[in-house]
Amino acid sequence: MKTYTIPQMMTPFVLVTVLLLLLSGLVSPVGAQEMSLFSFGKGKTEVKIYSDYFCGACKSLEPRVEFLLDDLVKRNIITLTFIDAPFHTYSAMYAKYFLYILNEKKDLSRALKARTALFDAGMEKIFEAEKLEAYLQKKGLKFKTFDTKATLNSFQTQLRDDRIDSTPTAVIWDGKNKTSMSGIDSIMRALEGLR
């Protein structure tokens, strides 16, 4: 499976331009409500999974880690955060719909189901909002729209702070050490090591 990197998908100028257009007009920090929308669990170890719905390796990783992530969250070993990386032209739209689904009902199993549906929609090349909405509704995923600017701003800040330039990438912080790994095998090994 091929992982996406910024140079392969778009030049740094285009990426910065897309992010600035996406996040224009933001001046307020992200509140606790927005931050908690896309995080699950109460564990001391923070795990961030960076992915793009148009990344084949990300799509392959998801079913392999779902059970493991669910187990680690339920046992309060980790606090899990999914962060969507805007490396593809339509990634920002997909990220918004993921947040809309969580805004309707926040639940890890629902989030995992939503991610699977969004990865499938991406592979089917659904690029119009109306078609994506119909696809999600057909999958039984209701959503509730809201202003996602603050949350997407947080995504951008975390992408920059964690120096993410490819997907899939996981960042694990245990309170003392921060470790970053890319690729399916290294992410799987790192997550299994948390058990």
Side-chain angles (χ1 to χ4, degrees):
M1 284 282 149
K2 185 174 172 94
T3 59
Y4 281 126
T5 60
I6 290 173
Q8 292 170 329
M9 293 303 298
M10 56 180 67
T11 65
F13 174 77
V14 172
L15 179 62
V16 169
T17 302
V18 168
L19 288 172
L20 288 175
L21 289 172
L22 177 68
L23 304 170
S24 64
L26 294 178
V27 292
S28 61
V30 176
Q33 182 179 6
E34 289 88 357
M35 290 296 289
S36 68
L37 182 62
F38 54 92
S39 294
F40 301 89
K42 297 178 182 174
K44 291 182 181 178
T45 301
E46 293 182 26
V47 174
K48 294 186 229 175
I49 304 288
Y50 290 92
S51 57
D52 186 301
Y53 295 110
F54 297 89
C55 164
C58 299
K59 180 177 175 21
S60 295
L61 174 68
E62 288 284 321
R64 292 179 63 187
V65 296
E66 281 183 1
F67 176 79
L68 181 56
L69 292 173
D70 187 54
D71 179 57
L72 292 168
V73 166
K74 284 181 179 171
R75 292 181 21 218
N76 287 320
I77 294 172
I78 66 170
T79 298
L80 172 64
T81 305
F82 294 109
I83 300 176
D84 297 318
F87 293 163
H88 186 276
T89 304
Y90 297 98
S91 299
M93 178 179 71
Y94 275 59
K96 282 184 180 183
Y97 278 92
F98 178 64
L99 294 171
Y100 292 164
I101 290 166
L102 293 182
N103 192 41
E104 170 66 24
K105 181 181 176 192
K106 183 186 170 197
D107 175 82
L108 181 56
S109 61
R110 181 178 166 79
L112 294 171
K113 179 180 177 182
R115 292 177 62 74
T116 298
L118 288 164
F119 277 114
D120 291 346
M123 293 302 139
E124 289 188 28
K125 299 183 181 346
I126 298 174
F127 300 138
E128 293 146 5
E130 297 80 21
K131 289 183 180 179
L132 182 58
E133 288 179 11
Y135 184 86
L136 294 172
Q137 289 172 349
K138 191 166 98 177
K139 296 286 185 178
L141 291 164
K142 295 180 181 179
F143 52 88
K144 183 177 173 186
T145 62
F146 71 106
D147 185 354
T148 59
K149 289 180 185 177
T151 304
L152 294 174
N153 184 42
S154 174
F155 281 2
Q156 191 270 340
T157 299
Q158 291 182 52
L159 282 158
R160 184 187 64 238
D161 291 349
D162 288 336
R163 298 180 181 155
I164 303 302
D165 63 2
S166 67
T167 57
T169 297
V171 174
I172 300 174
W173 185 62
D174 64 6
K176 296 178 185 174
N177 300 307
K178 186 184 216 181
T179 309
S180 179
M181 64 285 311
S182 295
I184 295 171
D185 293 334
S186 61
I187 292 171
M188 288 296 299
R189 278 192 303 274
L191 293 173
E192 287 168 355
L194 296 174
R195 292 181 120 176

